[in-house]
Amino acid sequence: MNAHNEIDPKKFRNALGNFATGVTVITTDCKEVGKVGMTANSFNSVSLDPPMVLWSIAKTSRALDFFQSAGKFCVNVLAADQVSMSNHFASKNTDKFADVAWHAGESGVPVLDDVAAAFECETAFVYEGGDHLIFVGNVVEFADTGRKALLYHGGRYAVSNPHPANTPDQTADEPRSSGFVNDYLDYLLAKATDNFERGFQLHLDRRNVGKYEWRTLVTLNDYDGISLDKLADIVLL
C-alpha cells in the first residue's frame, strides 16, 4: 500500500484547515444558464507579470461545465461582514443573484458589490488536480476596496487582526505613546469605538448575522412602529 492510500481523508482535511484562507465567491456568465456563482476558498495568486490567479472546483460540482464553457470568471474576495453572502452562494438556491447586489464587470461577468476585492479573469489554463480541476486565469480588471477580508480557519469563519508582534514597530505616521494625540479625548473615544466594533463583529460573525441585519433588528426593537424610509436612514442602508 502506497503513502497516498494510507492518508486518512478526514484527518488530512482537518490538517489543511490549519492554513487560514480567504473566502471568495467565484462568478461567471454563460450562454447555457446565465449567471453562475459559488463559494470557494481555493484561491491563490500565481503571477504578477503577467497578472494571473488560480482557483479550483470539484469535478462533481454542477457548476463545472458552466465555468468551462464561459471561458471567464470573477473572483470576489468577501469582506469580514459578508458571512451571509458566503453561506448564500454555498447553498443550493436556484437563483443566487435574485437578492444580491452586483454589477456587470468590464468583461461582462457579475461582480458582487462591497467585496474586499474582485479579480475579473479570462481562463488561460485548466489543469487536472485529483478530484478537482484547477482554473488559471489572466486578470483583465481588478478592484480593491480596502475592506477587511473574511477568513476561514479550522472549519470556521474568522477575521484578521494585527498580530501583537507588530505593535512595537510604529511608523512615522503613528502617534507616540504620549503627547497631544494620545491625550486628546476625541482620538481616544474614536480608538475605543474601533476596538469595540472589531470585537463585536466577531460575535456577529459567529451567529452569521450581518451588520445591516443587526442594525435593523435593534432599531425595530427600539420603535413601536417605524416607516421603511426612516428605518433605512437609521441603519444607513
Side-chain angles (χ1 to χ4, degrees):
M1 182 178 293
N2 58 39
H4 170 75
N5 294 328
E6 294 174 355
I7 291 179
D8 184 299
K10 185 175 181 180
K11 291 181 179 179
F12 179 56
R13 183 169 184 170
N14 290 339
L16 291 174
N18 289 305
F19 181 66
T21 68
V23 183
T24 72
V25 170
I26 314 295
T27 56
T28 193
D29 192 293
C30 63
K31 295 180 180 179
E32 293 87 347
V33 294
K35 295 182 294 297
V36 178
M38 59 173 287
T39 301
N41 64 343
S42 57
F43 165 69
N44 213 331
S45 61
V46 175
S47 169
L48 293 178
D49 186 17
M52 303 180 77
V53 298
L54 67 77
W55 67 286
S56 64
I57 180 174
K59 292 180 178 179
T60 56
S61 173
R62 294 179 298 175
L64 175 58
D65 290 341
F66 304 135
F67 281 104
Q68 285 184 305
S69 64
K72 56 186 178 180
F73 59 86
C74 179
V75 179
N76 300 271
V77 181
L78 298 188
D81 61 351
Q82 293 180 318
V83 170
S84 58
M85 183 84 74
S86 172
N87 292 335
H88 176 72
F89 277 94
S91 69
K92 296 182 179 180
N93 292 344
T94 304
D95 187 359
K96 296 181 179 181
F97 292 85
D99 300 314
V100 173
W102 63 276
H103 62 277
E106 293 294 327
S107 58
V109 295
V111 180
L112 303 182
D113 290 352
D114 298 324
V115 293
F119 301 91
E120 297 179 51
C121 304
E122 295 177 348
T123 303
F125 309 102
V126 179
Y127 296 113
E128 288 281 340
D131 56 5
H132 280 59
L133 286 184
I134 302 167
F135 281 70
V136 179
N138 290 315
V139 179
V140 296
E141 188 62 65
F142 73 94
D144 180 0
T145 65
R147 302 189 67 199
K148 181 178 292 187
L150 179 64
L151 301 184
Y152 200 70
H153 176 255
R156 296 183 296 179
Y157 291 113
V159 294
S160 63
N161 282 310
H163 195 282
N166 295 326
T167 54
D169 299 325
Q170 294 182 327
T171 66
D173 294 331
E174 295 176 327
R176 298 189 301 271
S177 59
S178 63
F180 172 74
V181 172
N182 276 298
D183 292 333
Y184 187 45
L185 181 59
D186 283 355
Y187 169 75
L188 295 175
L189 289 174
K191 188 174 182 180
T193 300
D194 182 63
N195 289 336
F196 169 79
E197 289 182 346
R198 290 183 184 183
F200 186 65
Q201 185 64 52
L202 294 175
H203 294 286
L204 293 179
D205 290 342
R206 293 191 188 104
R207 292 162 177 79
N208 293 334
V209 177
K211 64 178 180 180
Y212 292 116
E213 293 172 304
W214 172 77
R215 289 177 184 173
T216 300
L217 290 172
V218 296
T219 302
L220 290 175
N221 185 66
D222 289 340
Y223 288 83
D224 292 331
I226 184 174
S227 69
L228 185 59
D229 288 339
K230 186 174 183 179
L231 175 64
D233 288 339
I234 292 175
V235 302
L236 305 177
L237 182 60

